[in-house]
Amino acid sequence: MEIKMKKRFLICSLIFLSLTLNAAEWGGAFSNVTEFAGKTEELKLVQNDGLSLWGKIPCSKDNNSYLLADVSYNFKYDAQDSANRAVSNLLNLNLFEANFYWKLSPFSRLQLKAGRFPIADGTGAIFTQSADGLYLNFKSLKIEASVYGSYTGLLNSKVVEMLPLEDFGYKSNYIEETNDFYTLSAKYIPVALNLRIPFRAQNFVLQGWGFLDLNESNANRFLATVGFNGYISKNLSYNVQTSFQTVNFASISNFSKVNFSFYVENFILSLKGIYASGNNGSFSPFIPVTKKTPVFSFYDTEYSGLILAGLEANYLVKKIVNVFAGADFIIDARTENLDYRGFQYAAGLNYNIFPDLRLSAIAKQFFGKNTEENKLTLDIVLQMVF
């Protein structure tokens, strides 16, 4: 009797596995990035080749609940003098998430994510990366609220880069290993509470973030963000946000951004402004978590100690070619004595040759008050999905 039960269980398991695999989706992407970067008179090659594969298993008839995984391999050759290693090979688990979706009423729903997945704070400049954790979101016509918690210590630091706190005067016991392929990241516990209240064509956004430090740096960071976004008129939208940060409740810093976009058919014109505090009066230097630079200079510049004002235009040609160009002025705000730092531009195009094949060409250049910062970057990017 017991053997028959085991056989039945095995048969049922095989049937279930077969049905699951038949319902599964899969695909992948290949990217080739050829870049020449450096001083105008001595550009050096940076070559990136990447391959990613993903698989998705639906867990509901409407496909809103699913299991999703994405892995990638990246080869990089960097001939720049500043490169730590000329050749690197990177493996990464980009996604490994379970996503569940429940429709509570015709106008409300509940979503739960668990595993490794990307997330971003409201500014898109402080914490924009993957992590291993949980995300719970409730959305209705009148309110949207979410809670989030994760752990960063299992990420690949060579793929998901976080700012070292040593750059801001804090000590840390985290030492990045020189292993190729996969190196564990610094250990933080990010937590967040988010609230969005829509009214008419506007949105009020309130966010609270905390980054608990497990690297003995004694640098727990807490942020509060307030934002408004929406439409001023049919063709004009705005997005205004300000974030106040404290480290161990002993200092205060600020990050603020404003963006106005004007739309006409296939054309978008955007005006933007960014302030990230340095040692400015009562403000301390703002410390982002994810390493991300808004400046194209020879030296990496994070969202800290700067003021940036810029203009950007995008034009879509026959729905297959996107042409864009933009320029920014940068002010050095690391101290109370604000000083002109430089000017930069970026221009390029994205050409969708086929629905699954895109070719991009991008040029970026920085002209600094200090000519040592001058840098030119030329990129040719080929992306293919399958």
Side-chain angles (χ1 to χ4, degrees), residues 37-39 42-46 77-86 298:
K39 303 295 183 182
E42 51 178 343
L43 297 178
K44 296 187 177 181
L45 174 66
V46 181
Y77 170 77
D78 190 341
Q80 296 182 97
D81 292 338
S82 59
N84 294 322
R85 301 183 67 178
F298 197 79

Side-chain angles (χ1 to χ4, degrees), residues 31 46 60 182 257 316 339 346:
S31 65
V46 181
S60 63
Y182 206 104
K257 66 183 294 187
L316 185 61
D339 191 17

Side-chain angles (χ1 to χ4, degrees), residues 67-135:
L67 304 177
L68 178 63
D70 183 293
V71 295
S72 65
Y73 163 76
N74 182 265
F75 166 83
K76 183 177 181 180
Y77 170 77
D78 190 341
Q80 296 182 97
D81 292 338
S82 59
N84 294 322
R85 301 183 67 178
V87 176
S88 60
N89 296 276
L90 304 177
L91 287 175
N92 195 48
L93 178 62
N94 304 308
L95 291 171
F96 192 73
E97 70 171 86
N99 187 87
F100 301 101
Y101 177 99
W102 297 277
K103 191 172 183 179
L104 305 179
S105 74
F107 307 107
S108 64
R109 61 109 173 109
L110 187 67
Q111 180 187 22
L112 173 66
K113 282 187 177 184
R116 177 170 297 183
F117 52 90
I119 196 166
D121 74 289
T123 67
I126 301 168
F127 185 75
T128 56
Q129 62 179 69
S130 296
D132 301 309
L134 292 169
Y135 171 80

Side-chain angles (χ1 to χ4, degrees), residues 208-264:
W209 282 83
F211 301 95
L212 307 180
D213 176 35
L214 302 180
N215 306 289
E216 298 182 6
S217 304
N218 191 30
N220 298 313
R221 284 167 280 180
F222 303 94
L223 294 108
T225 299
V226 177
F228 293 90
N229 63 76
Y231 282 85
I232 299 173
S233 66
K234 181 181 178 180
N235 298 326
L236 181 63
S237 68
Y238 74 97
N239 189 348
V240 179
Q241 294 177 324
T242 186
S243 299
F244 290 94
Q245 178 191 71
T246 181
V247 180
N248 299 327
F249 300 100
S251 63
I252 188 167
S253 56
N254 179 255
F255 176 88
S256 297
K257 66 183 294 187
V258 59
N259 186 87
F260 293 94
S261 295
F262 178 71
Y263 309 85
V264 178

Side-chain angles (χ1 to χ4, degrees), residues 284-319:
S284 299
F286 188 78
I287 308 176
V289 178
T290 305
K291 189 173 183 179
K292 187 176 181 182
T293 177
V295 181
F296 310 143
S297 69
F298 197 79
Y299 304 109
D300 288 342
T301 301
E302 313 306 332
Y303 284 100
S304 182
L306 64 84
I307 298 173
L308 184 149
L311 187 68
E312 182 178 334
N314 283 268
Y315 182 65
L316 185 61
V317 183
K318 296 182 179 180
K319 298 183 179 181

Side-chain angles (χ1 to χ4, degrees), residues 296 324 345-349 361-365 376-379:
F296 310 143
F324 61 90
Y345 75 85
L349 61 84
I362 305 167
K364 298 182 291 187
Q365 192 165 15
L376 173 64
T377 305
L378 302 173
D379 289 335

